[in-house]
Amino acid sequence: AQPPASWVVIFLPLFLSDLRNYGHYKYLRRNRSHFQHEADRYLLVVVSECLFKVLLCLRFSFEQLRLYIPVRFVLFVYSVGYILHFVVGHFVPPPDSGRPEGCNV
């Protein structure tokens, strides 16, 4: 078994990509007038990916947690973020768009 700190080192480049993704979220949020609710959708993906990596890292680092954090749960967290991203993008009308609901043009 690997020491717990080694998993953090292994996942470090992925956590750095989360920082980059958070910066992109802030860009979308600042320019909300051009992107409407894209920032909210993107935040769902960023949070789910980060939580997925944290749970996976914890699961690999500590054998005791493997009983409490099954792989299915870790993948469920990841999947829910993308499902919510899709739902918000396709079924929630953008605020003040002036278009009827369901028109994605």
Side-chain angles (χ1 to χ4, degrees):
Q2 300 287 335
S6 67
W7 288 108
V8 174
V9 171
I10 291 170
F11 277 77
L12 189 61
L14 297 175
F15 288 124
L16 291 175
S17 73
D18 288 334
L19 287 175
R20 182 185 170 278
N21 290 340
Y22 180 71
H24 186 67
Y25 159 73
K26 288 188 343 184
Y27 168 78
L28 291 172
R29 187 87 176 166
R30 274 193 314 268
N31 296 294
R32 178 164 242 173
S33 62
H34 300 289
F35 297 110
Q36 296 176 351
H37 66 296
E38 280 301 310
D40 300 331
R41 291 180 65 209
Y42 192 72
L43 183 63
L44 290 170
V45 170
V46 170
V47 168
S48 70
E49 285 183 356
C50 186
L51 189 57
F52 164 74
K53 293 169 197 167
V54 167
L55 288 173
L56 204 56
C57 193
L58 286 172
R59 188 175 193 287
F60 288 152
S61 296
F62 305 103
E63 288 188 32
Q64 303 88 349
L65 290 179
R66 292 181 186 174
L67 298 172
Y68 303 106
I69 306 176
V71 173
R72 286 185 177 178
F73 177 73
V74 174
L75 293 174
F76 177 76
V77 169
Y78 185 75
S79 301
V80 165
Y82 278 92
I83 291 169
L84 289 175
H85 179 268
F86 176 82
V87 168
V88 170
H90 289 85
F91 300 110
V92 176
D96 300 328
S97 68
R99 297 181 298 189
E101 186 174 339
C103 293
N104 292 328
V105 285

